[in-house]
Amino acid sequence: MPTYNKLVRDKIPAIIDQTGKKYEVRKLNNDEYIIELKKKAYEELTEFVEAKDRESSLEELAELLEVINAVAVYHGSTLEEINSIRQQKEEKRGSFGEKVFLINVED
């Protein structure tokens, strides 16, 4: 039996049930939950970085967005609030749309 020891989406146990396989899960406490969300963010970001095509890239970005949403909810926030913060930063410092790559700055 493979051991996963990782945070999974809420419907995964029901999906496994449909296969007739046995499994073991437990509910995380809040401290464990945020740690596992951070691990999941790294996992999904790594999968995005390693994606080879548009479809895979978008799939992994969607997974990463789901994790970001869960972290926002954990902190009593929403994606809308996070996007508002993003927009404020864009107004103040710009976005990444112009593909500017900083080489160095004189001291």
Side-chain angles (χ1 to χ4, degrees):
M1 176 183 295
T3 301
Y4 292 94
N5 287 326
K6 70 178 192 173
L7 182 65
V8 296
R9 289 174 174 263
D10 300 340
K11 294 182 180 180
I12 295 300
I15 292 168
I16 297 170
D17 274 338
Q18 293 174 351
T19 69
K21 294 180 180 179
K22 302 278 187 213
Y23 62 92
E24 181 181 358
V25 297
R26 71 178 181 87
K27 296 282 181 157
L28 301 173
N29 66 39
N30 284 342
D31 291 338
E32 294 171 316
Y33 180 55
I34 193 63
I35 289 167
E36 293 303 319
L37 280 171
K38 289 176 181 181
K39 286 181 188 177
K40 182 60 82 172
Y42 276 113
E43 174 188 331
E44 299 305 341
L45 182 58
T46 299
E47 290 175 1
F48 165 71
V49 168
E50 294 173 355
K52 302 290 187 217
D53 56 41
R54 181 181 187 277
E55 183 179 343
S56 298
S57 293
L58 295 179
E59 181 78 20
E60 296 310 330
L61 285 174
E63 292 287 340
L64 191 53
L65 190 56
E66 186 65 33
V67 174
I68 291 168
N69 184 62
V71 173
V73 170
Y74 175 86
H75 287 295
S77 185
T78 63
L79 286 177
E80 290 77 16
E81 182 178 9
I82 291 171
N83 195 47
S84 175
I85 295 166
R86 183 202 62 77
Q87 288 172 330
Q88 290 169 18
K89 292 186 96 158
E90 179 181 357
E91 289 171 13
K92 192 179 214 180
R93 301 179 64 111
S95 66
F96 297 102
E98 293 185 23
K99 305 173 188 173
V100 177
F101 186 79
L102 182 64
I103 305 299
N104 58 46
V105 176
E106 184 178 312
D107 283 336

